[in-house]
Amino acid sequence: MRPIAFIDTETTHLSAEIGHAWEVAVILRQFEDDSTHTDTEYLWEFSVDLTDADPEALRIGRFHERRQLVTCTTLAAFTGSVPAVLMHRTEAVEAITRLLRGTVLVGSNPGFDDRFLRKLLGPGNAQWHYRPYDIVQLAAAKIGAQAAGPLPWRTHVLSRAVGVEPPAEDVAHTALGDARWARDVYDAATRPEPVEMSWEGRAKHAIGMYTRTAIELEDAQRALRASAAAVERARTLASRWGILRAYGGAATELRRALDGPSTSVNSPAQPATSGTEHYHFADADGDQLHIGIPGVPANSAPAVSFYTPTEPVHIPVERLHEILNAARNLAARARRRPASPPVPADGWHVGRQWHGHELEDRCPCKQAPCGLVIAAEASPECTEHGPGSTKSTRQSHPADTCPVTDPS
């Protein structure tokens, strides 16, 4: 089953073309099987520019009472932990992008949140399912469209109709509070009902079973198509690898020939030609390559002849050297160790986890009062934070803005 993301955003304006999201909450539901799942809560705050802010939108979300960051900076914070974890805006955007990839969005008016999330994350990063689901529609489906009354449906009324009390005044219009409300309404609206032992009840049960089976079949067909595509790609890569290995073996033998072969054998495959010495080589795979250097080439330029069952193919030596040099450079680049990601400059505290510092507590690096590692004093032996580590940094802040002061 696809993971579900119960979402909510608090914004500086009702229009995504003008305002920005300053608070984002996600409750990620991941399924182990049809009856077991886990919910994980995430909450971020972003520093925003209030130049075009709508005072009413700020009042609804209680921006001035609840915000923790100053405005007009590139900072963000993971506020789902205590204390909050300060980070750069791009780190938070990357985290939300990864979290929502492949999920189905559920919320109260999720189209509103969808627009602000697309603006926040940037082009190409809205990688969730294209159809978000509104809890007011789920609740109406539960009690029946006729019982829900005329449009527009009111979320608070239908929430109570499925047994879920809307958030209290001090919780409403907080991103995490509204995301929890969306989750509770979803659970109430999708909770299975006992089957009534009547013709109507049995018919509804049969329709439900048919729908679930059709969805599972469609998912299985999609997975089968993906598997077939993966198999075909593997075959293509295997064929390409075989060709590259053949090219690599041929280049090795050509280089040996140009540098002067240690062993030369007159090739019986071709008749002796005046002014031409034939060489017969076998590469590591057992493939054979016959080459020779004519003493008097037809075009009066040094060339290497590739003998085939039909006519020789002559390639100028200068061009052959260019090909071999390019092959050497390509091989050198392939063998070169990938560069390590940049390590924050002196004066930064870094951590490998999104929140907390459990991993830093176990490593040999020197820790700052906040529990993160002092980047400039990371241990060379540490595989998590050391200078040679290729692992990503998931939280960081400058030492002079560390949320925990040194008790000494």
Side-chain angles (χ1 to χ4, degrees), residues 7 11 43 58 76 88 141 159 174 206 283 347 357 360 366 372 384:
I7 59 164
T11 66
L43 183 64
L58 299 180
H88 195 276
S159 175
T174 65
D283 63 15
H357 46 79
E360 284 69 34
K366 184 175 180 180
L372 302 185
E384 300 289 341

Side-chain angles (χ1 to χ4, degrees), residues 160-177:
R160 292 189 176 98
V162 295
V164 177
E165 187 65 23
E169 185 176 348
D170 60 335
V171 179
H173 298 296
T174 65
L176 189 56

